[in-house]
Amino acid sequence: MSSTTTQRHRLPQLTGPIYIGDGGLETAMIFLDGIDLPDFAAFPLLDDEAGRAALDRYYQGFFDIAERHGTGIVVDTPTWRANADWGRRLGYDADALAAVNRRAVDYVRGLIDSRPGIPTVLNGAIGPRGDGYVIGDTMSAGEATRYHSLQTRAFADAGADMTTAVTLTYAEEAIGVVRAATDVGLPVAIGFTVETDGRLPSGQPLGEAFEAVDAATGSAAAYFMVNCAHTSHFRDSLTEGAPWLDRVKAIRANASRMSHAELDEAEELDRGDPVGLAGDYAELYRVLPDLRVVGGCCGTDHEHVERIARALTA
């Protein structure tokens, strides 16, 4: 049995040392590297040498952080936008999308192979069908299962260890992702984003969304995550003693305290306060009984994740 197959049944980030994730890939490419990403999509970078070189520089910095601090790393494929609706806007039909999702897994495997000795998880990243900040049109859970099956099947075919859906805005889409992943035998994590009041863009309280997904799927998700919101937006929603709190095992926060609407209008990158953000993570580490994976989202870069890793491993 291959190590990849073994990890599908026993995710290593759930035991042992803290694992880091990366930061805000798309905001780093656009604002720090000056790379144009139409529709905020990073996956087309895989299609040319210059794009892959930019991705190499980005990812290798996070491997360096993991090595310095003795952590593992969950390495996401750059496929947050590589689903049917966004792909079509960028000229990718279903066959081309399936191919680029498989190629993304192969690309990340190459990165992992180049850094032996660091505990790793190869994670296929899924984004929402919609914008990620605005809920827009919604799907039923069944529609979401069919919609997201292209990516989950491509990840499974290419040998990813797991898949994670991030920046989801309502529970039905999350239920569909869990079902699409379990249909192909992939462990799956679910990441919801919240507004400044700690509720999903759908208006549903965070804890209720976790419970709804678990109730509909028999708790099939490996764990839940909060991402793409500043820690101050959701800290009060993490009610100490809540029965669902031990299901939250990952946090990937935004650097900025701005709302989603304000971030959508921003023309400059708000990197926030990396030191303060790391302190927030240290507090969350005390609140969440089993926080296992930490990283960043919009506006965060190597410095943010470095400081977070240092705060949690010192």
Side-chain angles (χ1 to χ4, degrees):
M1 180 179 288
S2 71
S3 60
T4 295
T5 303
T6 301
Q7 288 198 144
R8 288 184 179 183
H9 299 286
R10 187 175 181 272
L11 293 175
Q13 71 267 41
L14 299 183
T15 59
I18 283 284
Y19 274 60
I20 64 166
D22 65 302
L25 167 61
E26 292 81 9
T27 53
M29 291 289 117
I30 293 169
F31 292 102
L32 301 182
D33 283 3
I35 297 172
D36 183 34
L37 296 183
D39 285 331
F40 228 53
F43 72 89
L45 295 176
L46 294 166
D47 288 337
D48 67 76
E49 184 175 348
R52 289 191 299 274
L55 290 171
D56 287 349
R57 292 191 297 273
Y58 173 80
Y59 282 110
Q60 290 295 350
F62 294 102
F63 281 95
D64 292 343
I65 293 167
E67 189 169 54
R68 280 194 293 273
H69 295 282
T71 73
I73 180 171
V74 178
V75 192
D76 285 5
T77 55
T79 51
W80 179 67
R81 282 295 201 216
N83 61 42
D85 286 9
W86 293 102
R88 189 178 304 113
R89 288 168 58 102
L90 294 164
Y92 290 74
D93 62 16
D95 288 342
L97 273 176
V100 79
N101 278 283
R102 292 191 297 268
R103 194 157 63 252
V105 172
D106 292 339
Y107 168 75
V108 169
R109 183 178 296 108
L111 294 174
I112 289 171
D113 289 346
S114 74
R115 300 297 295 265
I118 300 173
T120 57
V121 175
L122 200 168
N123 178 58
I126 289 177
R129 183 176 187 174
D131 177 78
Y133 282 173
V134 180
I135 189 167
D137 295 333
T138 61
M139 297 178 285
S140 69
E143 289 169 333
T145 302
R146 292 187 291 274
Y147 184 82
H148 289 293
S149 63
L150 181 149
Q151 281 189 286
T152 59
R153 185 165 299 281
F155 295 150
D157 289 347
D161 295 325
M162 67 176 295
T163 183
T164 301
V166 295
T167 327
L168 298 186
T169 57
Y170 63 103
E172 289 79 9
E173 186 166 21
I175 292 166
V177 172
V178 172
R179 291 174 177 169
T182 55
D183 283 348
V184 295
L186 273 182
V188 57
I190 292 296
F192 283 116
T193 188
V194 296
E195 300 293 351
T196 56
D197 62 0
R199 291 173 176 260
L200 272 63
S202 65
Q204 188 173 35
L206 187 60
E208 287 186 14
F210 296 148
E211 291 175 330
V213 175
D214 271 348
T217 62
S219 300
Y223 56 87
F224 290 104
M225 172 171 65
V226 186
N227 84 291
C228 209
H230 191 268
T231 51
S232 62
H233 299 166
F234 59 83
R235 168 61 183 86
D236 291 344
S237 298
L238 301 176
T239 309
E240 294 188 45
W244 47 266
L245 211 59
D246 64 353
R247 296 284 283 137
V248 184
K249 301 185 188 298
I251 298 291
R252 292 187 58 170
N254 282 354
S256 175
R257 292 176 178 268
M258 288 194 290
S259 69
H260 290 156
E262 291 169 328
L263 286 172
D264 256 346
E265 297 298 322
E267 296 183 359
E268 296 183 355
L269 182 67
D270 180 2
R271 295 183 69 249
D273 174 9
V275 176
L277 188 65
D280 290 348
Y281 271 77
E283 171 61 21
L284 290 172
Y285 196 45
R286 290 188 286 270
V287 171
L288 293 170
D290 200 23
L291 181 60
R292 307 299 314 150
V293 182
V294 293
C297 203
C298 294
T300 62
D301 52 45
H302 299 100
E303 181 187 358
H304 298 81
V305 177
E306 175 91 56
R307 291 186 179 278
I308 292 165
R310 185 183 304 156
L312 299 188
T313 60

